Amino acid sequence: MNWRLQFRVSAGRHLFRSANFHGLVGWRNLWICPRQLHYRSSSALTACRNLVSMRPVFQAPNRMFLLQRPPETNTEKLAIISGERIQGVRPFSLSSTPMVFFGVGRGGNNGGKVKLTLKDVTELIQKKECYRIVVMAGAGLSTPSGIPDFRSPKSGLYDNVQQYNIPYPEAIFELSYFFQNPKPFYMLAKELYPGNYRPNYTHYFLRLLLDKGLLLRLYTQNIDGLERVAGIPPDKLVEAHGTFASATCTVCRRSYPGEDFRADVMADKIPQCPVCIGIIKPDIVFFGEELPHRFFLHVTDFPMADLLFVIGTSLEVEPFASLASAVHSSVPRLLINRDLVGPFAYRPQNTDVAELGDVVSGVEKVVALLGWEEELQELIKKETEKVKEPT
């Protein structure tokens, strides 16, 4: 093995094993000096230096990433955008990880190349120059199915929580409040439980990407399970914020199929473990909980990706939001969303394309440019007929 590659792998492995990032300062002479020889841009070198100066934002004693609450004020958002915490501590960004270990990430300005258009991106797909597509999806993927998102003014779930009788919106996804009063969460779970809604046009577009062998992985923030219903298999899916497909007892930690407790949830009952009578909680990730193990597939998926779709997400909840910056700077990123968000707003690249407005309308434009209208309609018709068939 080449000594440079061996050094990268060895040092990278030890960094990942570190319980927190306080100890990284002691690695400065061992890590930074040799690595400087291999960086080809000042932005990449800066990212490496920043990593050494980091302190842990994701305080996980067992070395796992935790779901972070989004910034609540403009000051906090500005601090994150500028890369500086108010206390002077730089927040850890997942985008820095592949940049340091593999020499990739959103650095530079695309070498002065002409800015891409939506047509350019679809032509890359048609020519099979992009065939390892990673998709990041948020609540906007499911709103056309009738499921409200969380943060839209007036219509979002967080603006309509009076019925749940909770002290503040995010409490419904906080463990401390759940153990105190689990009923509001199960009221929401009854609304979102799989089976109440059907996949929409955009879900089936992602399914068509899969059928054509173009989908490397779908990373979703959604907990409604509509990606599974649309036919995305579990091995192609990373449900970053959890799923109703399984559930765990909060006392004895036994695991159960989520469907076993559907009847209780629909009957406004709080599910209880048949063994220890503890509360059964669906495997939805609450604020401060560990993300699923499959989330760490991003370490290999994003460096491999040759096209990134970002669909229907505010890119406010970490660590999911940082993934948008984890692909190589030469990789096209297509945002289909109501607004400009995340790095598309504060650090745009020539390889970025933003199709703003209604998500379904944006996807329809992509499908039309690809010439896939008939295929997609046939798929939707076939899947719809499956649902209508008697069981």
Side-chain angles (χ1 to χ4, degrees):
M1 180 184 289
N2 183 289
W3 74 268
R4 293 182 178 86
L5 178 59
Q6 185 175 7
F7 178 78
R8 283 191 196 183
V9 173
S10 176
R13 185 183 298 121
H14 281 86
L15 281 174
F16 263 126
R17 287 175 177 172
S18 176
N20 59 54
F21 288 90
H22 283 295
L24 286 180
V25 175
W27 288 72
R28 182 182 298 272
N29 294 329
L30 175 62
W31 171 261
I32 292 298
C33 294
R35 282 294 301 165
Q36 286 179 358
L37 300 176
H38 306 295
Y39 279 109
R40 296 293 180 266
S41 71
S42 60
S43 59
L45 180 56
T46 300
C48 189
R49 285 173 177 162
N50 287 344
L51 183 60
V52 173
S53 66
M54 290 173 195
R55 288 179 180 170
V57 173
F58 306 114
Q59 299 283 356
N62 54 356
R63 308 167 192 176
M64 303 294 287
F65 287 114
L66 307 182
L67 180 63
Q68 306 293 301
R69 288 178 59 174
E72 297 178 357
T73 67
N74 290 333
T75 303
E76 291 175 358
K77 291 180 181 178
L78 181 60
I80 289 176
I81 289 173
S82 64
E84 295 293 340
R85 301 283 290 183
I86 294 174
Q87 298 90 339
V89 178
R90 185 177 299 276
F92 175 64
S93 170
L94 292 179
S95 63
S96 300
T97 305
M99 184 181 293
V100 171
F101 297 151
F102 306 109
V104 301
R106 306 301 297 186
N109 60 1
N110 196 30
K113 293 181 181 178
V114 177
K115 184 170 177 59
L116 291 180
T117 65
L118 185 61
K119 185 177 180 181
D120 293 331
V121 172
T122 56
E123 286 178 352
L124 290 172
I125 298 174
Q126 289 173 322
K127 295 175 182 177
K128 300 191 184 301
E129 293 182 28
C130 291
Y131 55 90
R132 293 190 298 268
I133 302 175
V134 170
V135 179
M136 294 174 62
L141 177 68
S142 296
T143 50
S145 296
I147 302 175
D149 65 11
F150 288 91
R151 294 180 176 82
S152 289
K154 296 183 180 179
S155 62
L157 285 172
Y158 283 167
D159 271 4
N160 294 274
V161 295
Q162 298 87 351
Q163 58 180 318
Y164 303 121
N165 191 28
I166 56 179
Y168 49 90
E170 289 85 356
I172 205 164
F173 289 114
E174 289 186 352
L175 275 178
S176 57
Y177 188 80
F178 174 82
F179 289 125
Q180 176 185 341
N181 181 17
K183 190 170 183 179
F185 170 77
Y186 284 106
M187 291 173 63
L188 176 63
K190 181 179 180 180
E191 175 72 15
L192 298 180
Y193 224 83
N196 294 340
Y197 298 93
R198 301 301 307 165
N200 61 63
Y201 188 91
T202 305
H203 288 103
Y204 288 119
F205 166 67
L206 301 181
R207 163 68 185 279
L208 189 57
L209 287 178
L210 171 75
D211 292 347
K212 289 180 174 291
L214 299 172
L215 183 66
L216 176 60
R217 205 87 61 194
L218 168 56
Y219 287 73
T220 180
Q221 294 174 286
N222 298 329
I223 59 176
D224 49 51
L226 291 183
E227 297 87 0
R228 292 177 181 239
V229 179
I232 306 294
D235 66 305
K236 288 291 184 179
L237 191 60
V238 173
E239 292 160 313
H241 294 170
T243 176
F244 281 106
S246 57
T248 303
C249 174
T250 56
V251 177
C252 69
R253 307 306 298 170
R254 284 181 170 84
S255 294
Y256 299 95
E259 193 62 28
D260 289 0
F261 302 96
R262 178 184 174 84
D264 286 341
V265 173
M266 294 299 121
D268 296 321
K269 296 179 181 178
I270 296 175
Q272 291 185 312
C273 177
V275 176
C276 72
I277 321 295
I279 296 175
I280 296 289
K281 174 183 165 293
D283 290 335
I284 305 301
V285 181
F286 280 28
F287 293 120
E289 280 194 300
E290 297 176 1
L291 269 66
H293 290 266
R294 285 183 58 79
F295 182 77
F296 288 90
L297 287 171
H298 76 81
V299 174
T300 54
D301 284 347
F302 281 76
M304 287 178 59
D306 51 28
L307 177 59
L308 176 66
F309 280 10
V310 181
I311 303 176
T313 173
S314 63
L315 291 182
E316 288 190 3
V317 179
E318 294 289 0
F320 184 90
S322 291
L323 296 181
S325 298
V327 293
H328 194 280
S329 60
S330 63
V331 171
R333 300 186 300 187
L334 173 57
L335 174 69
I336 303 177
N337 202 46
R338 185 183 57 202
D339 305 301
L340 277 178
V341 293
F344 294 91
Y346 65 79
R347 195 185 177 191
Q349 302 281 330
N350 287 334
T351 50
D352 290 349
V353 178
E355 185 62 39
L356 303 182
D358 178 69
V359 167
V360 172
S361 298
V363 172
E364 286 176 341
K365 290 182 182 178
V366 174
V367 172
L369 288 169
L370 289 168
W372 293 355
E373 296 102 323
E374 287 188 21
E375 288 179 83
L376 187 51
Q377 290 300 333
E378 282 293 322
L379 175 62
I380 294 174
K381 181 180 178 182
K382 182 179 71 173
E383 294 299 316
T384 304
E385 287 174 352
K386 281 184 183 179
V387 176
K388 292 179 180 179
E389 290 176 1
T391 56

